[in-house]
Amino acid sequence: MSKKSAWAGAIVAAAGLTVGGIAVATAAEGPDGPPAAFAERHPGGPGPGKHGRPDKAALKDSTLVVGRVKSVETGKLVITKDDGGEVSLTTDGSTKLRGGDVAGLKADQRVTVRVKDGKALNVALAKAQARGTVKDVNGNNATLVQVDGLQTPLDLSSVTEKPKNGDLVAVTGTVSDGKTIKVDKLRQLPK
């Protein structure tokens, strides 16, 4: 094959990929914009916006607070932020908690809160993730020894198939007391 025909083939292939790439991107977007998989996600789940997307007008000028619940009262949520500061937020019937009711929050639960003008819009329990080797299995309790040697207590009460000592696992859950992961998903990893 000559250099001239090789270059011609490369140019045609590049043009085809470019046109094909544009066609694929356009087809993936659909009539109303990008697909939901690429939509902006906020704690608390989708808002009242179009196609399950958050209402961007309601989220405009909002901020994110990450920390631990200090206290919950009717109409008030106090968070100890990760930086050590404390913030008192108002709540009402429109304040959403992913998977529950704001009144069900407990002290020391780790949360992410979308805030606007001092009001909690959306609250989500922060998910903890860890990988390691299980030891000291005792009913619904166990210890996870992570790769870095950190030992984390596990609450396995929500897991139907309990791991055994020595199992290598990946866990996902919530931290309610500041140290124990209440596991809601456990996946066995290959050894």
Side-chain angles (χ1 to χ4, degrees):
M1 175 188 296
S2 72
K3 285 185 180 179
K4 195 177 214 181
S5 61
W7 275 104
I11 291 171
V12 169
L17 287 173
T18 302
V19 172
I22 292 170
V24 169
T26 303
E29 283 187 4
D32 295 322
F38 297 107
E40 186 176 4
R41 298 283 184 222
H42 294 278
K50 186 176 177 184
H51 302 294
R53 295 182 188 138
D55 183 1
K56 290 186 181 185
L59 295 175
K60 186 177 181 194
D61 301 323
S62 67
T63 58
L64 202 58
V65 173
V66 180
R68 295 193 184 283
V69 174
K70 182 174 182 182
S71 64
V72 181
E73 300 171 16
T74 302
K76 184 177 176 185
L77 175 63
V78 180
I79 304 294
T80 302
K81 298 189 303 184
D82 283 349
D83 67 6
E86 194 174 283
V87 62
S88 180
L89 306 168
T90 60
T91 62
D92 62 21
S94 67
T95 303
K96 303 292 181 215
L97 172 65
R98 185 183 308 159
D101 180 22
V102 174
L105 287 172
K106 295 178 179 65
D108 265 344
Q109 284 183 307
R110 191 158 165 67
V111 293
T112 304
V113 185
R114 179 63 62 180
V115 178
K116 182 175 182 180
D117 299 326
K119 180 183 180 294
L121 303 175
N122 297 309
V123 181
L125 293 174
K127 290 289 184 182
Q129 299 178 347
R131 291 177 181 220
T133 304
V134 177
K135 75 171 199 172
D136 301 332
V137 178
N138 183 10
N140 286 329
N141 299 311
T143 301
L144 184 71
V145 181
Q146 298 178 41
V147 176
D148 60 3
L150 181 66
Q151 295 190 24
T152 305
L154 300 177
D155 174 352
L156 302 168
S157 59
S158 297
V159 178
T160 54
E161 192 172 320
K162 309 289 190 236
K164 297 181 232 30
N165 284 326
D167 283 353
L168 186 60
V169 298
V171 296
T172 304
T174 55
V175 178
S176 59
D177 65 359
K179 59 185 175 193
T180 303
I181 298 177
K182 182 170 175 49
V183 179
D184 56 28
K185 279 188 181 178
L186 182 137
R187 184 172 49 100
Q188 295 280 341
L189 300 174
K191 291 184 180 183

